[in-house]
Amino acid sequence: MTTADKQPISEYPTVEGRYFLSKYWSINLPVAFKRTIQGTCMVLSRPGLSFFLTQYGNDDQHTPQELVEKLLIHKTDEAQDFKAFDIGNTYVAQYFQKAILNEAQVYTFHYCIATEEAALYVTSIADTEDLSKYSKQICQTIQEPLTREK
């Protein structure tokens, strides 16, 4: 357990609205989430829903599609509603998958977005299928920050 894991969740910073995850990505959070760091993941959580976000550089100069395909290692045959598509200069892949966590059924949504510079892999874990669908809506707000320097 890390020191952050021992800290009461109420002591974590609260984030909401347009939130800059890094110099490469921002997300629109329509409700308040608590933000922590666990290892290499940023974690945004609220009751019943957590997002685990990991950013990757593109040092090997892969295309956005190649970068996303390399990151889809957790996708299994049980993946549902898999979609992959281009949005301008970005490539996105997304899917739902059920899982067992601490002996309970959870609903996961996986979202990976990449440009030629970086990729962001997001896994949301929700207590209900409705919250998982809500997490998809939130993930689809991820974009390159308009104010970052190129």
Side-chain angles (χ1 to χ4, degrees):
M1 222 182 222
T2 66
T3 305
D5 294 331
K6 295 176 185 174
Q7 188 176 9
I9 197 162
S10 62
E11 294 183 22
Y12 293 135
T14 299
V15 294
E16 187 174 6
R18 176 59 58 192
Y19 181 68
F20 290 85
L21 300 165
S22 71
K23 71 178 186 176
Y24 296 109
W25 307 107
S26 66
I27 189 170
N28 187 37
L29 301 170
V31 293
F33 283 83
K34 294 293 187 175
R35 180 191 52 79
T36 69
I37 303 295
Q38 292 182 3
T40 60
C41 271
M42 177 184 293
V43 181
L44 303 173
S45 34
R46 60 178 293 111
L49 179 61
S50 294
F51 291 93
F52 296 83
L53 306 100
T54 305
Q55 181 175 284
Y56 299 89
N58 191 9
D59 297 335
D60 296 330
Q61 300 301 304
H62 294 289
T63 67
Q65 184 175 0
E66 290 169 337
L67 193 53
V68 167
E69 288 171 358
K70 283 181 62 170
L71 296 174
L72 292 179
I73 58 175
H74 299 293
K75 184 176 169 277
T76 69
D77 292 338
E78 287 85 36
Q80 299 173 352
D81 198 23
F82 177 81
K83 291 184 175 95
F85 49 91
D86 292 301
I87 302 174
N89 296 327
T90 62
Y91 185 77
V92 176
Q94 62 185 32
Y95 63 94
F96 291 96
Q97 193 164 298
K98 294 179 185 174
I100 302 295
L101 181 65
N102 298 327
E103 299 180 18
Q105 174 78 52
V106 294
Y107 301 86
T108 66
F109 178 69
H110 301 261
Y111 188 85
C112 189
I113 185 169
T115 65
E116 291 186 8
E117 294 177 306
L120 182 68
Y121 192 97
V122 182
T123 300
S124 71
I125 300 175
D127 289 349
T128 68
E129 196 168 357
D130 285 343
L131 279 175
S132 185
K133 290 177 183 176
Y134 182 57
S135 72
K136 176 183 177 180
Q137 293 172 352
I138 293 171
C139 284
Q140 290 176 334
T141 71
I142 294 171
Q143 63 186 33
E144 292 182 277
L146 299 175
T147 59
R148 77 175 174 94
E149 294 179 18
K150 298 258 180 185

